[in-house]
Amino acid sequence: MMTAYEKLKAVRSSSRPTAADYISRLFTDRVELSGDRRYGNDTAITAGIGFLDKAPVTYIAIEKGKDINSRMRNHFGCPQPEGYRKALRLMKEAEKFNRPVVCIVDTLGAYCGAEAEERGQGQAIAENILELTRLRTPTLSIVIGEGGSGGALALCTTDRVYMLENACYSVISPEGCASILWKDASRVSDAADALRITAQDMYKFGVAEKVFSETFADFDSMCRDIGRRMSSDIKALRSLSREKLLTERYNRFRKFGIYEEDGVTCGTAL
């Protein structure tokens, strides 16, 4: 069995499929949409409209890039404020036309350069989280690699969250955690274990509703399985009234932090 740190190293492999590979297999008749209408277009987030099982959806994905040039252009999958604002613009458009939103997440975290901070990185992430909690249309997310900090949460505050079996979801990178807690970055493996970052941990905690096996040798079949689950959940969510949809989403996040120990309910709801 792989350790948490071994899983983290696996999802950072350059040979692993990126968001573009999933988009090309999950969605048909795609139209890519660009720009935040405020500053520019961040290629770290690719988004548009396509069909999932013959039903229109808005897709929003964090794309790391395929080679060194595209990875540098995309800041290795670390979006900037205009990327998150582009995502928010398309989420609100999807709400207007009653289209479900599907997010594909793979990021170490939001871009942390000075220029991103100057353009309001923290506010952009906070606005996305807030708006996702009250978006009046079904929302899904799948973490295909790393789900790092607020950079991932800005696209994961959704009705359903899925993860691949080696994917990781964490409030901070294990390297950053080890440096802060122990002043020793070499203890990254200990930090990964302590943080409980694996997909299996997230499923146990109720953060993720489904963990998909990684059958990259038959990637097309793997994507069909993911697409079928997404389509099924979207149909179930669309059967709810908008008020019921928002209530269930609210309750989903309110239960985080509650756990049982020796039959006693512990913790505090969010």
Side-chain angles (χ1 to χ4, degrees), residues 77 83 146:
E146 289 185 87

Side-chain angles (χ1 to χ4, degrees), residues 163-168 197-204 208 211:
M163 297 181 70
L164 299 191
E165 64 178 317
N166 289 326
C168 301
I197 64 175
T198 70
Q200 293 72 28
D201 289 327
M202 294 302 107
Y203 181 77
K204 179 181 177 181
V211 177

Side-chain angles (χ1 to χ4, degrees), residues 10-56:
V11 299
R12 290 175 175 174
S13 170
S14 60
S15 63
R16 192 176 176 89
T18 67
D21 298 306
Y22 292 87
I23 290 171
S24 66
R25 289 164 175 81
L26 289 172
F27 311 114
T28 60
D29 301 313
R30 300 180 303 278
V31 177
E32 186 173 350
L33 301 173
S34 303
D36 68 342
R37 303 300 187 265
R38 297 188 190 184
Y39 179 84
N41 183 51
D42 181 11
T43 57
I45 289 187
T46 180
I49 301 169
F51 284 82
L52 174 65
D53 191 23
K54 300 180 181 179

Side-chain angles (χ1 to χ4, degrees), residues 20 28 52 59-61 65 71 100 135 141 144 154 163 178 182-183 189 196 220 233 239 241 245 252 256 262 265:
T28 60
L52 174 65
Y59 65 86
I60 300 167
R71 287 182 176 237
L135 202 69
S141 296
I144 61 171
M163 297 181 70
W182 298 299
K183 312 300 182 186
S189 182
R196 306 290 293 275
D220 288 343
D233 281 356
S239 70
S241 67
L245 177 72
R252 180 183 187 276
F256 292 171
D262 298 327
T265 300

Side-chain angles (χ1 to χ4, degrees), residues 166-181:
N166 289 326
C168 301
Y169 198 7
S170 177
V171 68
I172 188 174
S173 71
E175 293 86 352
C177 176
S179 297
I180 292 171
L181 289 185

Side-chain angles (χ1 to χ4, degrees), residues 21 55 66 112 173 184:
D21 298 306
K66 291 288 190 181
C112 58
S173 71
D184 183 0

